[in-house]
Amino acid sequence: AAMVMVDLATELVAVEELRRPCYSRTGVLESVQMVNFMSHENFKVDLGPNVNIVSGPNGSGKSAIVAALQLGLGTKTKDRGATLDAHVRHGQKEAKIVIRILNYPPEFHGDVTDQYKPDLFGNVIIVERRIAGPASGQSSSRRSDYALKDVHGKFVEL
């Protein structure tokens, strides 16, 4: 009977751990900053750890947030045509997108993710993408570059 009680207690602890709010601390987008991106001179949005709802009137920057996340993380957008330089603010030489991604260790035993190269990045991975505008004079092969930075903003090479 004692053995059954221990097993039952262990199962109850496991069930209680599942009921606790378990927020991921690795891979969560912390913020996106856009400099000379679309119509914005300098626009930063802090994101929460769960679902983020972006609302506002026309022209307030909702599409810019989505486009910056898409381009900053390596996909394409459909809203501004096929060229990257269409995302550079009119009259500027380049745009910059900075995305901060949390890289904390799991808080609970049940977390499914682990830190990515914590010795290199620390608790935040910064993805920075620069996009040269048409006025930059750069060849089309040099119109965009990525950089990875650690929690202190120092360049990281993989």
Side-chain angles (χ1 to χ4, degrees):
M3 180 70 133
V4 172
M5 287 299 280
V6 170
D7 288 342
L8 182 59
T10 303
E11 286 183 32
L12 287 174
V13 168
V15 168
E16 284 304 312
E17 282 184 14
L18 290 174
R19 288 184 183 157
R20 280 194 312 193
C22 186
Y23 304 107
S24 177
R25 294 162 23 109
T26 307
V28 172
L29 301 177
E30 180 183 59
S31 66
V32 58
Q33 180 181 11
M34 299 149 273
V35 178
N36 293 324
F37 186 78
M38 295 174 68
S39 62
H40 303 284
E41 184 177 351
N42 193 347
F43 182 41
K44 182 180 178 194
V45 177
D46 293 320
L47 302 167
N50 297 308
V51 175
N52 290 273
I53 298 173
V54 180
S55 66
N58 288 345
S60 62
K62 300 179 301 291
S63 296
I65 295 167
V66 173
L69 289 169
Q70 288 173 318
L71 292 175
L73 296 174
T75 64
K76 296 179 181 180
T77 65
K78 294 183 179 187
D79 64 331
R80 291 262 169 160
T83 63
L84 277 175
D85 59 17
H87 293 85
V88 177
R89 188 169 175 237
H90 181 73
Q92 301 299 314
K93 290 187 177 182
E94 78 172 9
K96 180 171 74 169
I97 301 165
V98 180
I99 299 172
R100 291 177 57 94
I101 304 168
L102 297 182
N103 194 37
Y104 286 99
E107 186 172 346
F108 301 111
H109 177 67
D111 281 357
V112 294
T113 58
D114 292 325
Q115 284 179 287
Y116 180 73
K117 300 192 181 221
D119 52 322
L120 289 176
F121 291 102
N123 291 333
V124 173
I125 298 170
I126 300 172
V127 178
E128 185 176 293
R129 185 171 191 184
R130 293 179 181 270
I131 302 168
S136 69
Q138 294 183 6
S139 70
S140 59
S141 64
R142 294 289 306 150
R143 292 235 168 130
S144 173
D145 64 341
Y146 281 93
L148 293 175
K149 297 181 177 182
D150 68 10
V151 66
H152 305 292
K154 232 174 90 178
F155 287 97
V156 172
E157 289 194 37
L158 296 177

